[in-house]
Amino acid sequence: MLDVIARDRVFASVNGNEELVSLYVPSDRLIGASGEERPELVLMRALAEDDPPRFFSVVGPTGAGKTSMILRVLADLGRREPQTLRKPHEVLIVNVGDDPSRLDSPAEFKRTIVQLVARQRHRFASVDPDALRDAAADERTMTGSQVTHQGTLDAKVVSYTAELAEAYETARFGDSPARAREDFEDVLRIVCREYRPVVIIDDTEHFVRRDAQGGVDRESVSNLFHHGVRALADLGSVDLVVAIHPKYRDVEAVQEVTARFGFTEVSVPTLRPASDSPGLAEILSRRLARRDLEIELGRVVSDRVLSQLEAQYFANAHDFRAVLDLAADAASAAVADGSSRVEPRHLQPLLDQAADVAAY
């Protein structure tokens, strides 16, 4: 069994939206959170039940699961009965980290979003809640390791897209930064007739420097909040969820904008050193179950390795992504060693290597 786990890198971190949702371990199982302590519940209730707009900062270090949690909330929204929602949601995810020049001015940022809507076939959506809902379901139709029933943005007919397409054609939306605000407001006006628009600002981890000091690119973070976040919040008609690193709280622009617009801060669930909850074991077991590998985790990963991995998690700023990749690499090392279970001798060289890279 371990050879399959190693070959398919079952324990490794993932990037796809449906994979992130499918493998997400809710906070009640991860850390034993309950009731109002559950961050997913705080975010979902506001988007489902409160009057718009609602503004949220989802806070967590690099690799801690900010995107996974946000997507899981969207999946849960897609599972709610329509009558429990004020309006169905249309969710646009804006990834800003790969091109900071989009944040040089509010006009350029809004123009970028208007152009993004056009690229999504004139739909104010870059994720389909139906696809996320299906990925989150515990009962799935499987072929190998792939989910066979996945929704796409074409799976659901959305009434406003034809009107938007005509408006883009006749009004030439997105052609001029000078009229970006008007263009974006016109897009929202059309979408808001039947839907509740939500903008997710993600991929801001590029603004955290990967040096030993772990500082942040303060100029880019300031531009994000002054020119991006403020520009959307000022409109008063769109829900906004921004994924941020904890160090962004020290940037004056972040403090100013979040205070002015009454942002609610939601922290991603993280493992607790003194907790008796299974934590990391739940995450790895979830990966086995979603691949239909019917085997107990303890048969392929020793308890001592789990303890070492959790220690690495706490030593490395709660980076789940790095720990999961270490677990996948250790499984490969164990198979190469002819072992049927990952033992400390397979993991320790990888930990030593990671420590050397960090020191360098």
Side-chain angles (χ1 to χ4, degrees), residues 124-193:
F124 196 96
S126 48
V127 296
D128 189 339
D130 293 343
L132 299 182
R133 178 201 62 205
D134 293 344
D138 287 330
E139 295 182 3
R140 302 159 301 146
T141 302
M142 302 287 292
T143 300
S145 61
Q146 300 299 315
V147 179
T148 62
H149 178 61
Q150 291 184 344
T152 68
L153 288 180
D154 295 328
K156 181 170 59 177
V157 176
V158 181
S159 59
Y160 67 79
T161 54
E163 183 178 355
L164 263 189
E166 181 179 358
Y168 269 83
E169 180 65 27
T170 58
R172 304 185 66 82
F173 286 174
D175 284 358
S176 169
R179 44 176 281 192
R181 180 184 176 95
E182 290 78 9
D183 288 349
F184 188 57
E185 287 179 337
D186 285 342
V187 170
L188 285 179
R189 175 179 51 79
I190 294 172
V191 175
C192 284
R193 290 174 187 164

Side-chain angles (χ1 to χ4, degrees), residues 55-57 225-226 229-230 233 244 248-249 251-265:
F55 307 132
F56 286 90
S57 301
F225 275 80
H226 274 315
V229 175
R230 183 199 296 266
I244 70 171
Y248 294 1
R249 295 169 171 147
V251 179
E252 184 178 350
V254 177
Q255 299 170 1
E256 177 187 333
V257 173
T258 55
R260 175 180 175 180
F261 292 99
F263 271 68
T264 298
E265 184 173 294

Side-chain angles (χ1 to χ4, degrees), residues 344-357:
R345 68 179 182 274
H346 306 125
L347 177 62
Q348 190 59 53
L350 299 172
L351 294 175
D352 293 339
Q353 182 180 359
D356 290 343
V357 171

Side-chain angles (χ1 to χ4, degrees), residues 85-266:
L85 302 173
R86 293 174 178 267
K87 285 183 179 179
H89 299 79
E90 286 286 83
V91 182
L92 194 68
I93 297 181
V94 182
N95 294 322
V96 298
D98 58 345
D99 187 5
S101 65
R102 300 174 186 172
L103 303 171
D104 286 346
S105 71
E108 187 59 42
F109 180 72
K110 287 179 182 172
R111 183 188 183 208
T112 296
I113 298 182
V114 171
Q115 293 173 333
L116 176 59
V117 172
R119 291 197 299 272
Q120 301 297 331
R121 301 181 185 180
H122 303 103
R123 182 169 173 185
F124 196 96
S126 48
V127 296
D128 189 339
D130 293 343
L132 299 182
R133 178 201 62 205
D134 293 344
D138 287 330
E139 295 182 3
R140 302 159 301 146
T141 302
M142 302 287 292
T143 300
S145 61
Q146 300 299 315
V147 179
T148 62
H149 178 61
Q150 291 184 344
T152 68
L153 288 180
D154 295 328
K156 181 170 59 177
V157 176
V158 181
S159 59
Y160 67 79
T161 54
E163 183 178 355
L164 263 189
E166 181 179 358
Y168 269 83
E169 180 65 27
T170 58
R172 304 185 66 82
F173 286 174
D175 284 358
S176 169
R179 44 176 281 192
R181 180 184 176 95
E182 290 78 9
D183 288 349
F184 188 57
E185 287 179 337
D186 285 342
V187 170
L188 285 179
R189 175 179 51 79
I190 294 172
V191 175
C192 284
R193 290 174 187 164
E194 299 179 52
Y195 294 87
R196 179 169 178 166
V198 183
V199 173
I200 311 291
I201 297 183
D202 199 14
D203 193 35
T204 70
E205 299 298 314
H206 288 71
F207 304 148
V208 181
R209 289 193 292 269
R210 302 286 181 164
D211 55 23
Q213 290 72 38
V216 300
D217 182 346
R218 298 181 73 88
E219 180 180 1
S220 293
V221 174
S222 294
N223 286 344
L224 168 64
F225 275 80
H226 274 315
H227 299 157
V229 175
R230 183 199 296 266
L232 294 177
D234 263 331
L235 296 173
S237 56
V238 59
D239 295 308
L240 184 57
V241 180
V242 188
I244 70 171
H245 192 281
K247 292 184 178 180
Y248 294 1
R249 295 169 171 147
D250 298 329
V251 179
E252 184 178 350
V254 177
Q255 299 170 1
E256 177 187 333
V257 173
T258 55
R260 175 180 175 180
F261 292 99
F263 271 68
T264 298
E265 184 173 294
V266 178

